Amino acid sequence: MKINIYPIKSDLKHDELEKRTLSFLEEIMEGTDLELRIVNLSELYQDCSASFILVQSGGSEGKFLELFSKFKAPINILTYGSNNSLAASIEILSYLKKNGVEGEILHGSKEYIVKRIKEIATSRTIGIIGKPSDWLISSTVNVQELKKRFNIDIKFIETKELIDEYNKIEDEKVADKTLFNPKEKLKAYKLLQAFDFLVEKYELNGLTVRCFDLLNTACTTSCLALAKLNDRGIISSCEGDVPALITMMVVKEITEQVSFQANPSIIDVDDNTMILAHCTVPLSMCKSYSYDTHFESGIGLGIKGEIPEGKATIIKIGSDLNHYFLSEADILENQDDRSKCRTQIKLRLKESVTYFLTNPQGNHHIVLLGDHTKELEAYLNSKGLSRVR
């Protein structure tokens, strides 16, 4: 991974400064796949995964100001702290924030710096297949804000391309050979292979699909395909819900956990409990599962998963990408109610469930196993998001 570094310093004499800089960069690179290269200003944004300003000393603020118009936001600042470089970096970052320019200081342990460099340098692409479902009236996001906040690019894909690929797949060429060709499973796995084609074609790290359009075109549902994709690390949400997808991607990045996108179905304010349900869940989250029909349509293949009881986390990033809800929770039981989506869990939240009735960040919320509230809160706060309750 190639990282370009442009160093700045004051005009004062600094003994051993260049040696200190080279030692610092070599220490960061050691044992990693990072290649940190000191470059000229004209080369700063060329042939690299990311670009950083290296503040080498105190008094660099004036030099930075001279070159400010040459830098591209977000302006990420790397510094080692000696020679008053951290103090200068903080002054520079304060100037950026005052002028509405995104930036960040990378300073601390080698492990922290390497982690942040890789996060900043790793651009991800999500596919939006179709547009968000008509009822998700608050679930669109600003493309530029998404890139700025999370370094995620969007590829818009017509539903027709997915269906065309689905129709090309011959039944006998379905990859899973354990199906014994039951009709609905066959269609579900054909759809999975069609998704696989788009993932490879567009180099997607995640996707969301306007899945209800598939009912009349592929005559099946995407529940199983999305579950399988999530288990493979291609984070996927349904109904074209981009904020849900972003939340699930953050969960995977920070906790290495897959997660369950679900609808709030019933809320009990007095008991501070709620029931969440949906027809797709990553199979790896389940202690057992079976196949059923899709709830709303009564066709296709939905997943009835049994999720382990115990500690869990519920989270949702809002569509403005500025706010998020987060709560520790306990999964109390799985339920079996034919009037709801097929995977159903009852939870008791640590935060008040009145949030859903007064200030919800959209419909779908994301559940993952275990209490991961501290690391998720720290990450989202570092991105400038505010927690709502």
Side-chain angles (χ1 to χ4, degrees):
M1 185 178 287
K2 296 179 180 179
I3 307 297
N4 285 349
I5 306 292
Y6 181 71
I8 60 172
K9 61 183 178 181
S10 71
D11 293 329
L12 298 175
K13 181 180 179 181
H14 299 284
D15 294 332
E16 305 293 318
L17 186 58
E18 302 308 322
K19 288 183 179 179
R20 174 72 183 91
T21 293
L22 290 175
S23 175
F24 172 65
L25 298 182
E26 288 171 359
E27 181 183 349
I28 293 174
M29 288 188 286
E30 185 178 4
T32 74
D33 62 349
L34 296 177
E35 180 185 350
L36 274 59
R37 308 176 297 181
I38 295 179
V39 298
N40 297 322
L41 183 58
S42 61
E43 303 169 320
L44 182 56
Y45 300 103
Q46 298 178 6
D47 187 30
C48 64
S49 298
S51 303
F52 292 83
I53 309 302
L54 174 63
V55 175
Q56 295 177 289
S57 72
S60 300
E61 299 91 332
K63 183 66 66 175
F64 175 86
L65 203 56
E66 289 177 17
L67 302 171
F68 177 50
S69 63
K70 306 290 185 182
F71 299 139
K72 298 178 182 179
I75 298 174
N76 294 300
I77 302 166
L78 188 61
T79 189
Y80 35 70
S82 58
N83 299 304
N84 284 327
S85 58
L86 178 59
S89 299
I90 291 173
E91 185 70 15
I92 290 170
L93 183 62
S94 299
Y95 175 82
L96 294 179
K97 297 296 184 179
K98 181 180 178 180
N99 287 277
V101 179
E102 286 296 313
E104 177 183 345
I105 296 171
L106 278 71
H107 172 75
S109 67
K110 171 188 173 178
E111 292 74 19
Y112 172 76
I113 292 174
V114 168
K115 178 175 179 290
R116 286 299 298 133
I117 288 177
K118 288 188 173 182
E119 288 173 350
I120 291 168
T122 303
S123 177
R124 292 164 292 174
T125 302
I126 60 172
I128 300 180
I129 304 172
K131 62 180 181 179
S133 295
D134 295 339
W135 48 88
L136 296 182
I137 58 176
S138 69
S139 296
T140 57
V141 301
N142 181 284
V143 175
Q144 289 75 29
E145 188 70 16
L146 180 60
K147 178 66 175 178
K148 183 174 73 174
R149 289 278 194 195
F150 297 104
N151 200 17
I152 293 176
D153 297 304
I154 290 179
K155 177 66 180 179
F156 293 97
I157 304 169
E158 294 290 337
T159 304
K160 183 178 183 299
E161 186 171 356
L162 176 68
I163 298 304
D164 286 347
E165 190 59 32
Y166 171 85
N167 289 330
K168 292 177 187 176
I169 301 170
E170 299 175 11
D171 290 357
E172 59 270 20
K173 292 185 178 180
V174 172
D176 193 302
K177 302 301 183 184
T178 65
L179 299 177
F180 305 104
N181 289 338
K183 183 179 179 182
E184 293 302 334
K185 285 186 181 179
L186 185 65
K187 289 191 289 186
Y189 273 87
K190 284 175 66 175
L191 190 58
L192 173 59
Q193 287 186 219
F195 279 118
D196 285 339
F197 172 82
L198 296 182
V199 167
E200 183 175 357
K201 176 179 178 180
Y202 293 110
E203 299 181 339
L204 303 179
N205 303 103
L207 62 86
T208 187
V209 59
R210 185 180 166 98
C211 49
F212 278 75
D213 285 359
L214 304 177
L215 298 175
N216 296 322
T217 51
C219 298
T220 189
T221 60
S222 60
C223 306
L224 179 63
L226 300 182
K228 291 281 189 179
L229 287 168
N230 275 302
D231 279 335
R232 294 178 187 172
I234 306 298
I235 306 305
S236 304
S237 73
C238 51
E239 300 180 38
D241 192 331
V242 179
L245 175 59
I246 301 307
T247 307
M248 295 167 77
M249 293 185 76
V250 166
V251 164
K252 181 66 173 178
E253 177 183 344
I254 301 305
T255 72
E256 299 184 352
Q257 300 285 318
V258 293
S259 54
F260 173 39
Q261 171 192 349
N263 296 317
S265 295
I266 294 177
I267 292 174
D268 186 333
V269 174
D270 295 329
D271 199 30
N272 210 50
T273 59
M274 65 184 306
I275 296 171
L276 288 166
H278 227 198
C279 286
T280 183
V281 61
L283 304 183
S284 62
M285 283 186 71
C286 303
K287 56 185 179 180
S288 65
Y289 64 88
S290 58
Y291 297 133
D292 203 331
T293 56
H294 176 246
F295 167 60
E296 286 91 344
S297 65
I299 69 168
L301 191 153
I303 300 170
K304 178 175 172 52
E306 296 288 320
I307 298 177
E309 294 84 358
K311 289 294 180 185
T313 303
I314 181 167
I315 180 173
K316 181 63 180 300
I317 296 171
S319 59
D320 64 359
L321 303 180
N322 289 319
H323 298 89
Y324 68 96
F325 172 76
L326 178 66
S327 180
E328 179 185 344
D330 288 292
I331 299 176
L332 304 177
E333 63 181 24
N334 291 265
Q335 297 191 344
D336 184 10
D337 181 348
R338 298 301 295 177
S339 69
K340 298 184 182 69
C341 296
R342 304 315 185 197
T343 297
Q344 308 161 15
I345 52 174
K346 182 178 181 180
L347 308 93
R348 176 172 286 114
L349 275 61
K350 184 174 182 180
E351 299 291 329
S352 174
V353 295
T354 57
Y355 147 81
F356 291 93
L357 306 178
T358 59
N359 193 25
Q361 300 300 296
N363 167 23
H364 297 124
H365 280 63
I366 308 304
V367 177
L368 62 151
L369 300 179
D371 177 13
H372 299 278
T373 52
K374 289 183 179 179
E375 58 261 50
L376 288 167
E377 180 178 37
Y379 174 79
L380 292 172
N381 288 351
S382 76
K383 290 291 186 181
L385 280 74
S386 300
R387 187 172 178 176
V388 297
R389 288 179 163 88

